[in-house]
Amino acid sequence: MSTVHQPDLKDRPARLTVGVVGAGRVGPALAASLQLAGHRPVAVSGVSDASRRRAEAMLPDVPLVPPAEVLRRADLVLLTVPDDALPGLVAGLAETGAVRPGQLLVHTSGRYGVGVLDPALRAGALPLALHPAMTFTGTPVDVQRLAGCSFGVTAPEELRLAAEALVIEMGGEPEWIDERNRPLYHAALALGANHLVTLVAQSMELLRKAGVQAPDRMLGPLLGAALDNALRSGDAALTGPVARGDAGTVAAHVTELREHAPQTVAGYLAMARATADRALAHGLLKPELAEDLLGVLAEGSQAGPPHHEGDGTGGTAGTDGTDGTAGTDGTDGTTGTDGTTGTEGNDR
């Protein structure tokens, strides 16, 4: 049985004309979901060939027009551009008179609440922040994935029911986020989702180097079980050499990584230290074993890369940004109006 709740008719927004500013990965998917709920997409803006193709595939027969024209045609406008572009876009639309009184203006940034929409609010718009906690592909599968997807919702109190009803109509589950907590909320999602992609990609690369022919098939069941256990049990799901205090095994890992994939060493050490701290705090790692383990991790962070005779290299391992780092979401993570992938995990 579906867990998606259907809103009462009295809480449903009226059927609306919908516009999208920024035909990245998220905007067309949300507009398509609203269309399934009975709303009518009427306009979309996009600049690059990729964004135009995406809009045509997800929203066939919906005209591509400039952003100001989107606002002129639509009752509900989705602003699905990169986080860093959002303040300037809102200010520009308000200054040019494109915003109409009573118009619902919705952004999908995880970082921002409704404060970023203040210029539009002063022009009479109704501001909503609806951030889907989901990674998007820019294909029709995204519409299906919205079923049961949580949305971080921030809105003025008088618009709360309308905001939640829109989320529910898209198949999502509204989760109320206070304005001041939006950056923390977004950081939490980026930490979990963006860094997970980096870790999995690194793991697959290492397995290929070890001779595994199908690393995805090997990792799938393992990572699926680990994720399920973590969601069910939190820190109690920790396993592996760090949680056990197997300092020798961890030292061997560091040696192999430094030899075969030095760009992964900094990330491995950082995650191992974080894992050790959590395992200690929750009584999983015995204190008498932790000392040797932490010593190995400290030595690993101070050691230089492997020396190859005659290559003249040495020094300390750099933290080159590929080690366990990822975009900062959304969120969020938007694809801009030119259709290119944004700097955050949810790829607007």
Side-chain angles (χ1 to χ4, degrees):
M1 181 179 295
S2 172
T3 60
V4 178
H5 307 296
Q6 293 299 319
D8 294 335
L9 290 177
K10 64 182 178 63
D11 293 333
R12 281 183 178 270
R15 301 305 90 187
L16 302 168
T17 53
V18 178
V20 179
V21 177
R25 301 186 185 188
V26 172
L30 298 188
S33 295
L34 289 169
Q35 186 174 36
L36 292 175
H39 302 288
R40 184 165 63 92
V42 294
V44 59
S45 71
V47 176
S48 73
D49 290 340
S51 64
R52 289 173 178 270
R53 287 194 300 270
R54 188 179 295 114
E56 289 168 0
M58 301 282 286
L59 301 170
D61 302 322
V62 176
L64 282 154
V65 299
E69 182 64 16
V70 173
L71 270 71
R72 190 187 71 81
R73 298 187 183 193
D75 302 315
L76 165 63
V77 179
L78 301 172
L79 303 179
T80 52
V81 300
D83 286 6
D84 287 352
L86 184 60
L89 172 66
V90 175
L93 291 172
E95 289 171 2
T96 59
V99 179
R100 293 187 284 107
Q103 189 171 47
L104 281 165
L105 213 56
V106 179
H107 78 71
T108 57
S109 165
R111 170 185 173 187
Y112 291 110
V114 293
V116 71
L117 298 175
D118 278 349
L121 175 64
R122 291 191 291 270
L126 305 177
L128 304 176
L130 308 179
H131 173 251
M134 177 57 62
T135 184
F136 288 79
T137 65
T139 66
V141 71
D142 295 331
V143 179
Q144 302 171 24
R145 287 179 173 176
L146 288 173
C149 167
S150 292
F151 279 66
V153 177
T154 304
E157 187 62 34
E158 60 272 20
L159 295 176
R160 180 166 180 163
L161 286 179
E164 292 179 342
L166 284 171
V167 168
I168 291 169
E169 286 195 324
M170 287 186 282
E173 292 281 0
E175 184 74 38
W176 190 257
I177 308 295
D178 190 270
E179 178 87 13
R180 66 180 181 273
N181 290 334
R182 292 289 290 205
L184 179 61
Y185 151 80
H186 195 225
L189 295 180
L191 183 66
N194 301 164
H195 296 180
L196 176 63
V197 173
T198 300
L199 293 172
V200 172
Q202 287 184 341
S203 181
M204 288 198 295
E205 288 175 358
L206 293 172
L207 286 171
R208 289 190 188 99
K209 289 186 177 183
V212 175
Q213 297 299 309
D216 54 342
R217 188 166 65 238
M218 177 175 283
L219 284 174
L222 173 64
L223 298 184
L227 177 60
D228 184 64
N229 291 342
L231 292 175
R232 292 173 182 271
S233 305
D235 289 293
L238 281 173
T239 62
V242 172
R244 292 192 299 266
D246 291 342
T249 298
V250 172
H253 289 177
V254 175
T255 297
E256 289 298 305
L257 293 177
R258 200 174 295 284
E259 175 69 25
H260 298 287
Q263 74 277 9
T264 68
V265 171
Y268 180 93
L269 291 171
M271 290 305 300
R273 282 192 293 267
T275 301
D277 288 344
R278 299 191 73 89
L280 265 173
H282 290 81
L284 302 173
L285 173 58
K286 297 178 180 179
E288 60 270 23
L289 298 177
E291 184 175 356
D292 286 345
L293 174 66
L294 295 175
V296 167
L297 297 177
E299 291 172 5
S301 64
Q302 294 169 6
H307 178 73
H308 300 284
E309 187 173 352
D311 68 1
T313 60
T316 58
T319 55
D320 61 1
T322 63
D323 304 322
T325 61
T328 57
D329 258 12
T331 168
D332 178 84
T334 67
T335 296
T337 54
D338 63 356
T340 60
T341 301
T343 57
E344 300 181 36
N346 274 345
D347 296 334
R348 298 289 169 274

